Amino acid sequence: MTLLRRCFVLAALLAAASPAGACGYCVEDKIASAYDHALVAQAVAMGHHVAFYHLDGPLAQNDATKRALLSAAESVPGVDKGSVRVALDTLTIAFAFDPKRTSLVAAQSTLDKKLAARKVSLFPMRVIERAGELKEIPQR
């Protein structure tokens, strides 16, 4: 069983065993909050990658903020339309992208520039390039 699957199984067992929820601060909880298995499976099958980022900055917890983040990320060249996932409660954003059209660094840089007007920045967490493989994103 892959590390990612083990984390999700453990999270499910813990959630079922106790009324206490995840802390939302650790990387695994943040990734789980924006993780969509169907999206990841589809992206990997097409040879695309899925990146997960922490959002840092003043973000209102409302639908308008979520729509603005979705729109900004989906407008990045190479990001798959409909692939952006935002979890405002854990300040997490994830998206699938085509590595033949854009690099991870270029996608992050473009999105960082779009979010700068909102005084929001991205902190890289993990990327999925192949099924069952959750890699750290190197800091720039």
Side-chain angles (χ1 to χ4, degrees):
M1 190 180 294
T2 66
L3 175 61
L4 184 59
R5 285 189 182 149
R6 278 187 260 170
C7 287
F8 287 112
V9 169
L10 177 61
L13 290 172
L14 290 174
S18 160
C23 70
Y25 293 107
C26 66
V27 170
E28 291 80 10
D29 285 351
K30 292 172 87 38
I31 289 171
S33 70
Y35 183 86
D36 179 335
H37 182 71
L39 167 71
V40 171
Q42 179 183 10
V44 169
M46 295 187 316
H48 293 195
H49 301 171
V50 181
F52 296 85
Y53 292 92
H54 168 72
L55 296 162
D56 187 53
L59 287 169
Q61 301 284 316
N62 59 41
D63 287 338
T65 298
K66 188 171 185 173
R67 283 192 304 274
L69 292 168
L70 288 166
S71 177
E74 285 194 348
S75 71
V76 172
V79 169
D80 298 344
K81 301 298 180 226
S83 74
V84 181
R85 302 295 185 265
V86 174
L88 288 175
D89 56 335
T90 60
L91 300 174
T92 304
I93 189 167
F95 56 84
F97 67 97
D98 183 352
K100 293 178 182 161
R101 290 190 54 215
T102 189
S103 69
L104 178 63
V105 171
Q108 178 181 337
S109 178
T110 301
L111 184 53
D112 255 335
K113 288 175 186 166
K114 291 176 179 288
L115 297 178
R118 292 181 157 271
K119 297 185 174 132
V120 173
S121 55
L122 299 171
F123 286 90
M125 291 190 297
R126 302 284 191 274
V127 64
I128 298 173
E129 296 174 347
R130 287 181 281 285
E133 183 179 291
L134 190 62
K135 294 174 41 177
E136 284 192 40
I137 298 175
Q139 299 286 334
R140 297 188 277 154

